[in-house]
Amino acid sequence: LIALLRSQDENIQEQSCGTIWSLSVNADNRPRIVQEGGLPSLITLLRHSNEKIQELAVLAIRNISTTDENKIKIVRLGGLPPLIGVLRSTNMRVVEQAAGSLWSLSVSEENQIKIVQEDGLQLLIGLLRSPNENVVEQAAGCIRNLSMNDENDVKVVREGGLP
């Protein structure tokens, strides 16, 4: 299945990504997905033009990001720029899941700094004005974690997070 994530056929990518997401719901499968090399392909699919594939990749990454080790691994493998990029999507389901993934990743102090360095804070603050309450909740949760860092709390106010 992980090899199929790299298929040239979009339908195969979607089905394999959907299956990986489904498998990632079970906490016992998450380490195996990472050990078998699934993260790099899932991260690559975050940039896919097909929003369904993007959504499935975000959902799988969000599930995988529940362990401290994987939070760091996702960022070290380059997951932040595409996750932050997904926040610009017009598909609110994808945005909600990306913000939720960032919320999960932002539990790590190391990641709190990196999310802000990658310009995630400004986009997250912008999402606080979304008409979608689920998006607002995910963004606010992430910002709360980011503000736990002394450097970031000043930036939250400076970037317009208070009004």
Side-chain angles (χ1 to χ4, degrees):
L1 285 167
I2 290 170
L4 295 176
L5 294 173
R6 295 183 295 275
S7 171
Q8 297 302 309
D9 184 312
E10 224 173 85
N11 293 322
I12 292 173
Q13 284 180 316
E14 183 177 333
Q15 295 309 314
S16 59
C17 196
T19 305
I20 298 290
W21 164 58
S22 182
L23 293 172
S24 74
V25 171
N26 181 329
D28 293 337
N29 292 332
R30 295 172 193 161
R32 187 72 187 266
I33 293 167
V34 173
Q35 289 166 1
E36 296 295 332
L39 271 178
S41 294
L42 290 168
I43 289 168
T44 298
L45 291 176
L46 292 173
R47 290 188 165 102
H48 204 287
S49 59
N50 180 319
E51 287 183 344
K52 185 63 179 170
I53 292 173
Q54 258 188 351
E55 181 180 9
L56 292 167
V58 171
L59 286 164
I61 288 171
R62 184 173 186 177
N63 288 343
I64 291 167
S65 73
T66 57
T67 68
D68 291 339
E69 182 182 340
N70 288 344
K71 287 177 193 343
I72 301 300
K73 209 171 264 190
I74 290 165
V75 172
R76 289 191 179 154
L77 288 171
L80 278 183
L83 271 173
I84 291 168
V86 170
L87 296 178
R88 292 182 176 92
S89 174
T90 56
N91 181 329
M92 287 299 109
R93 289 188 320 265
V94 176
V95 172
E96 176 188 346
Q97 295 305 322
S101 296
L102 290 168
W103 185 3
S104 177
L105 294 175
S106 69
V107 170
S108 156
E109 289 181 34
E110 181 180 326
N111 290 346
Q112 290 168 359
I113 294 166
K114 290 180 179 178
I115 290 169
V116 172
Q117 287 174 339
E118 293 286 344
D119 296 327
L121 180 59
Q122 195 169 35
L123 288 169
L124 289 162
I125 289 173
L127 292 176
L128 297 176
R129 293 182 276 288
S130 172
N132 184 312
E133 290 181 2
N134 295 328
V135 169
V136 173
E137 178 186 0
Q138 303 302 311
C142 184
I143 293 168
R144 182 188 69 205
N145 285 348
L146 296 178
S147 70
M148 301 248 193
N149 178 287
D150 290 339
E151 292 177 34
N152 290 345
D153 66 357
V154 172
K155 292 176 182 174
V156 169
V157 174
R158 189 175 52 222
E159 294 289 332
L162 282 180

